[in-house]
Amino acid sequence: MVQNKKKTHWTQWKSKLIEDPVLPYFVIEGKSTVQPIKSMPGVNRFSVDELVKDVDSARQLGIKTILLFGVVSNRKKDDLGGNAFCPDDLISRAVKEIKDKIRGVTVITDVCLCAYTTHGHCGILTGHEGAIDRRKTLKALSEMALRHAEAGADWVAPSAMAKGQVAAIRQKLDSNGFHRVNILGYSAKFASVFYGPFREAAKSAPAFGDRREYQFASADSARALRRIAADIREGADMVMVKPALAYLDVIRQAKEKFRVPVAAYNVSGEYALMKLGAKKGYWDEQAALAEIMTSIRRAGADVIISYHAKDIVRRKNAEKKTLKSFNGGE
Ligand code: PBG
């Protein structure tokens, strides 16, 4: 029975999500604020009012799905990441505004504590050398997911890599009547240097230690595939491989092995590389972008999450136009 429910879930969303790039956004407190992110030229942090304007223009361009990350000031961070799941939290406010003001946008929210904790780790710590307190972390993540669902999120995307996070969130959502909210599992998340610019963007670098404790070593594709299988068993409607470019083989294996759709995250470092090379004149950005996106698709990704999403859609629109004029117009 559960199986059936999931199937309708997916078919309902499939046409809306597949083949369309997902655009990530960084959301900050305050008003009328747009903060450029140095390491990611062309990407900004937006206060909620400015976010709504940008999402509106992205929607008109053809972006149908967005992924939201919350970025709070140091003042709002604590050991437990309490501002991630408090009533009227930043992301819930953002989701409500978007859903109120813009039609036809699918909203995915990131569910993780790293941008809300003083220590910058993805979960709540036990106090012993950066170890994660699993029980407390799962409770916090499920609360956070529930807030987002209540605000109107269509998907929640747990990225904390806490074992059992998908099951805990599914259970919390279902017991509160949010069966319609889907879960995108950040299942195969490798410990990668390519997250560097993101940590500047989200101000989420760990204050000590690193994330090797809960992210996979780059050689360990077997473990990543086991985690994907576990996330699917726990109820993930879609799974993710991240980063994309250094892990194309994992995308391919996931696609061949499992029946759920696979998302690939073209991460901040990949974006920064592309921009730097283009700026130096080493390659033509549009051509390089087309080649890279093709490679991620060829590997088997159903969905691509990318900071280049607007450019990808612009390119698609231009191609459609050319095709139309080639076929003799409308
Ligand atoms: C953690 C999270 C990270 C990214 C997305 N979610 C960073 C990390 O694990 O350090 C990275 C995405 C990117 O680099 O674009 N919540």
Side-chain angles (χ1 to χ4, degrees):
M1 228 169 80
V2 175
Q3 280 301 359
N4 273 345
K5 195 187 85 203
K6 252 181 235 143
K7 265 199 195 119
T8 38
H9 250 174
W10 175 243
T11 33
Q12 186 189 336
W13 285 106
K14 193 173 165 185
S15 57
K16 291 193 189 174
L17 213 54
I18 262 184
E19 297 276 323
D20 282 316
V22 175
L23 177 60
Y25 276 103
F26 299 99
V27 190
I28 52 175
E29 311 268 355
K31 267 206 161 142
S32 315
T33 314
V34 179
Q35 291 175 349
I37 298 162
K38 248 199 244 126
S39 53
M40 301 171 71
V43 181
N44 303 297
R45 301 188 199 93
F46 294 104
S47 56
V48 173
D49 53 336
E50 293 293 333
L51 173 76
V52 171
K53 288 186 210 160
D54 202 88
V55 173
D56 192 27
S57 69
R59 180 68 194 87
Q60 283 172 33
L61 198 64
I63 299 278
K64 300 188 192 104
T65 310
I66 58 171
L67 167 61
L68 300 181
F69 291 97
V71 185
V72 297
S73 61
N74 284 338
R75 206 166 35 81
K76 289 217 155 180
K77 297 188 186 194
D78 59 37
D79 275 3
L80 305 177
N83 275 300
F85 46 89
C86 61
D88 209 31
D89 65 280
L90 174 62
I91 288 300
S92 297
R93 272 184 277 133
V95 175
K96 269 187 214 145
E97 282 290 307
I98 289 168
K99 287 287 178 181
D100 265 8
K101 306 222 159 97
I102 307 165
R103 291 213 158 270
V105 195
T106 297
V107 179
I108 310 176
T109 59
D110 185 69
V111 176
C112 186
L113 300 181
C114 67
Y116 300 86
T117 51
T118 32
H119 46 70
H121 282 281
C122 300
I124 295 171
L125 304 181
T126 55
H128 294 293
E129 292 171 7
I132 299 286
D133 183 324
R134 208 171 136 246
R135 199 182 52 83
K136 285 189 187 155
T137 300
L138 292 184
K139 196 160 173 265
L141 295 173
S142 333
E143 274 307 320
M144 188 177 181
L146 179 59
R147 292 266 174 276
H148 298 175
E150 285 167 347
D154 303 287
W155 288 75
V156 291
S159 69
M161 292 302 281
K163 257 200 189 138
Q165 59 183 6
V166 172
I169 290 173
R170 184 73 272 161
Q171 209 253 330
K172 184 80 170 179
L173 293 177
D174 285 349
S175 61
N176 284 277
F178 290 103
H179 307 283
R180 63 155 187 90
V181 175
N182 295 302
I183 299 179
L184 163 58
Y186 275 66
S187 314
K189 181 171 175 183
F190 291 91
S192 170
V193 297
F194 293 111
Y195 306 148
F198 175 95
R199 289 176 188 176
E200 186 215 315
K203 301 182 180 159
S204 68
F208 54 84
D210 54 35
R211 300 201 208 286
R212 279 166 217 282
E213 190 65 33
Y214 41 89
Q215 297 182 353
F216 303 137
S218 64
D220 211 349
S221 53
R223 198 169 157 215
L225 290 166
R226 283 200 300 276
R227 179 56 79 90
I228 293 180
D231 277 4
I232 295 171
R233 277 197 305 276
E234 287 181 27
D237 301 281
M238 176 157 56
V239 293
M240 190 198 296
V241 176
K242 173 183 164 191
L245 289 181
Y247 300 89
L248 292 174
D249 58 315
V250 181
I251 298 175
R252 158 66 35 178
Q253 288 182 67
K255 182 68 195 162
E256 281 175 358
K257 247 190 150 101
F258 305 107
R259 308 271 293 277
V260 306
V262 178
Y265 199 140
N266 175 224
V267 299
S268 57
E270 298 170 11
Y271 177 85
L273 268 181
M274 166 73 85
K275 289 284 178 188
L276 281 172
K279 194 172 161 212
K280 288 262 186 191
Y282 295 158
W283 50 68
D284 171 72
E285 187 173 330
Q286 291 312 312
L289 184 57
E291 193 170 331
I292 279 179
M293 290 303 140
T294 305
S295 80
I296 301 174
R297 283 256 181 259
R298 208 178 52 229
D302 298 294
V303 173
I304 299 177
I305 301 167
S306 176
Y307 304 97
H308 295 289
K310 282 184 184 169
D311 278 344
I312 298 169
V313 170
R314 273 194 202 102
R315 194 185 165 89
K316 263 191 176 173
N317 294 345
E319 272 167 11
K320 262 187 232 153
K321 244 195 205 151
T322 324
L323 206 64
K324 246 185 215 162
S325 63
F326 186 72
N327 290 337
E330 294 185 63

